[in-house]
Amino acid sequence: MSATWYECKVKYRKINDSGVQKVTTEPYLVDAVSYTEAETRINEEMSAYVSEEFIITNIKVANFAEIHPFENSDRWFKSKVSLIAYDEESGKERKTNMYLLVQANDVKEAFDNTNSVMKGTMGDYTIPAIAESPIMDVFPYFTGEEEQLERFKALRDSIQTVEEVEIDDSVPVAPGFIGVEEEE
């Protein structure tokens, strides 16, 4: 199931670079199943960042097909990707547009990141436009199961590592240790 992203505009007081307090309205993205949940989630998320009062001025469904965060990147870029399909009967080329939100530091990096995301695509595509997005931050939905999954993967990897290690018979091992049978 794909995520539904809601763009939430939040108005609050912010201290700018020169130290002056200014009222600003900034857009954020939240993953939610309804407008009501989006409002609840943005309230929770912004309460952690903004100590003063804030107002949610607008909530709308965002038109992003996918969101792709990248390490060591601080800005979000909207990439327009045109998927190309050939109509066998008419012999014409048809393009279907979709928008990706890609994290990067500049437009060139956003282009490279978009290409890396689209690398596994079976069909042809072009990237006709990339523009910096005003989105300040993205708040995906986490159930807590993601953390458990990561712990499971780490445990699985550590067990595989133990199985790959050769056992040295000269080193005493406590009975009951995995892979060691007790002597009778």
Side-chain angles (χ1 to χ4, degrees):
M1 186 172 121
S2 65
T4 303
W5 294 95
Y6 290 85
E7 183 178 321
C8 303
K9 291 192 178 181
V10 181
K11 186 176 188 176
Y12 63 97
R13 291 184 199 274
K14 181 179 182 179
I15 298 174
N16 63 13
D17 296 335
S18 60
V20 177
Q21 209 176 53
K22 181 181 175 187
V23 175
T24 183
T25 302
E26 295 176 333
Y28 294 87
L29 278 186
V30 294
D31 178 11
V33 294
S34 67
Y35 286 93
T36 306
E37 184 187 4
E39 182 180 15
T40 303
R41 295 226 28 248
I42 196 65
N43 270 311
E44 291 171 2
E45 297 290 350
M46 293 308 295
S47 295
Y49 294 107
V50 179
S51 59
E52 294 184 22
E53 202 173 285
F54 60 89
I55 299 170
I56 300 167
T57 59
N58 190 15
I59 298 175
K60 67 179 182 178
V61 176
N63 66 340
F64 297 113
E66 299 172 3
I67 310 290
H68 295 281
F70 282 86
E71 293 287 321
N72 303 322
S73 300
D74 62 346
R75 299 186 321 207
W76 291 97
F77 290 83
K78 185 175 185 175
S79 295
K80 179 180 181 180
V81 177
S82 295
L83 302 174
I84 301 169
Y86 296 99
D87 188 359
E88 304 278 329
E89 294 174 14
S90 66
K92 293 184 179 180
E93 187 178 273
R94 292 184 339 168
K95 291 184 180 182
T96 304
N97 295 324
M98 69 177 191
Y99 296 94
L100 307 179
L101 191 65
V102 179
Q103 201 170 21
N105 293 312
D106 56 32
V107 175
K108 182 186 179 325
E109 187 178 331
F111 178 79
D112 294 340
N113 289 350
T114 302
N115 273 325
S116 71
V117 165
M118 297 298 293
K119 191 186 318 183
T121 306
M122 300 297 281
D124 294 333
Y125 67 91
T126 61
I127 304 171
I130 294 179
E132 186 170 356
S133 170
I135 301 293
M136 296 304 292
D137 207 352
V138 174
F139 301 111
Y141 181 76
F142 292 113
T143 61
E145 293 174 5
E146 293 82 2
E147 188 176 306
Q148 290 177 344
L149 181 62
E150 289 301 317
R151 277 192 255 151
F152 173 76
K153 286 179 182 176
L155 179 63
R156 180 194 64 206
D157 294 343
S158 68
I159 290 172
Q160 287 174 346
T161 316
V162 168
E163 290 174 354
E164 294 168 0
V165 173
E166 291 183 23
I167 297 176
D168 185 2
D169 292 332
S170 65
V171 177
V173 178
F177 186 74
I178 298 174
V180 177
E181 295 179 16
E182 290 186 37
E183 294 180 19
E184 294 180 17

